[in-house]
Amino acid sequence: AQRVTQPEKLLSVFKGAPVELKCNYSYSGSPELFWYVQYSRQRLQLLLRHISRESIKGFTADLNKGETSFHLKKPFAQEEDSAMYYCALLGSSNTGKLIFGQGTTLQVKP
Amino acid sequence: GAGVSQTPSNKVTEKGKYVELRCDPISGHTALYWYRQSLGQGPEFLIYFQGTGAADDSGLPNDRFFAVRPEGSVSTLKIQRTERGDSAVYLCASRFGLNQPQHFGDGTRLSIL
């Protein structure tokens, strides 16, 4: 079955501390994974996708097929990073539908 | 240009009533998706339109749910005989091409009393 698991509902860190938001997936085949972010009172938006291998707002995520993981990392958290983060898996390359995890709230304290 | 627009932003109705939720995608986006997000959960796929046709409706929970996109632009999600379990945020997203990201609307918060 296709599934995305984000084991932490809430991650709380101090400003300047490293951040790692965990994401594990279940998918037979070659997965395509994304991180979406929702800031307070804003709509859901794409943060990054693994095929782009880019760094957005200091965040990176590496696909680890052996561990079936796609953890989101940032070396030094900022207060403006506080938001809800969703990991998503492309469920079908034909339709583009996404399978989302439950989400993790990141709280960066001053 | 405007992003994906969803109306109403909030809808409160009684159990058993019929509701319609509207999505106006970004101009030129041929693909349109509906998702449902229950409290504390991530969005769950409901239905996908490519142009006017529903190419994948495998996520619709039952036959009380139906969606249309008659002219390949605006889409309406219709729920008949609403139940309390239908209470959720209904999200719409659109994209231009298969390798392009989905752009989400603000959602409609549906509350069934």
Side-chain angles (χ1 to χ4, degrees):
Chain A
Q2 299 170 349
R3 187 180 298 123
V4 176
T5 303
Q6 294 180 250
E8 303 142 326
K9 274 198 170 301
L10 172 67
L11 183 63
S12 186
V13 302
F14 285 102
K15 176 182 170 183
V19 168
E20 182 178 68
L21 297 165
K22 291 185 166 50
C23 171
N24 288 90
Y25 66 90
S26 173
Y27 186 77
S28 57
S30 191
E32 187 170 342
L33 287 142
F34 308 80
W35 277 98
Y36 278 79
V37 61
Q38 187 167 26
Y39 300 102
S40 179
R41 299 187 194 88
Q42 293 187 28
R43 56 187 61 183
L44 196 60
Q45 58 185 284
L46 179 67
L47 180 62
L48 55 80
R49 53 196 303 185
H50 93 270
I51 60 171
S52 301
R53 300 189 66 82
E54 57 200 343
S55 173
I56 303 293
K57 299 184 179 182
F59 284 97
T60 58
D62 290 319
L63 178 61
N64 185 323
K65 291 185 179 180
E67 295 183 358
T68 60
S69 69
F70 187 57
H71 302 327
L72 184 68
K73 300 177 184 180
K74 184 169 182 176
F76 308 104
Q78 303 299 313
E79 288 181 69
E80 56 265 30
D81 296 328
S82 296
M84 176 69 90
Y85 291 80
Y86 294 96
C87 183
L89 169 70
L90 185 65
S92 164
S93 58
N94 290 333
T95 67
K97 70 180 180 184
L98 296 172
I99 298 168
F100 286 86
Q102 290 185 310
T104 298
T105 300
L106 174 63
Q107 183 182 79
V108 181
K109 296 178 285 190
Chain B
V4 176
S5 175
Q6 291 188 246
T7 54
S9 54
N10 282 283
K11 176 72 176 177
V12 181
T13 192
E14 293 178 342
K15 177 174 176 287
K17 298 291 188 184
Y18 168 82
V19 296
E20 289 190 352
L21 311 179
R22 176 189 167 107
C23 172
D24 201 339
I26 294 172
S27 178
H29 282 197
T30 56
L32 185 146
Y33 302 82
W34 284 98
Y35 293 85
R36 178 168 73 172
Q37 186 170 20
S38 300
L39 194 62
Q41 304 295 317
E44 291 179 292
F45 169 78
L46 294 176
I47 187 168
Y48 158 64
F49 286 90
Q50 180 58 45
T52 60
D56 182 351
D57 65 357
S58 61
L60 295 178
N62 52 60
D63 61 5
R64 295 187 297 106
F65 288 74
F66 190 71
V68 295
R69 195 185 184 199
E71 297 178 359
S73 178
V74 171
S75 175
T76 305
L77 178 66
K78 308 180 182 197
I79 311 174
Q80 298 178 318
R81 305 184 303 280
T82 51
E83 300 177 358
R84 293 201 177 88
D86 299 334
S87 296
V89 175
Y90 289 80
L91 295 168
C92 179
S94 69
R95 62 168 171 78
F96 178 67
L98 194 57
N99 292 319
Q100 299 301 309
Q102 293 182 28
H103 297 265
F104 283 82
D106 286 325
T108 293
R109 183 174 297 277
L110 178 63
S111 300
I112 308 299
L113 303 179

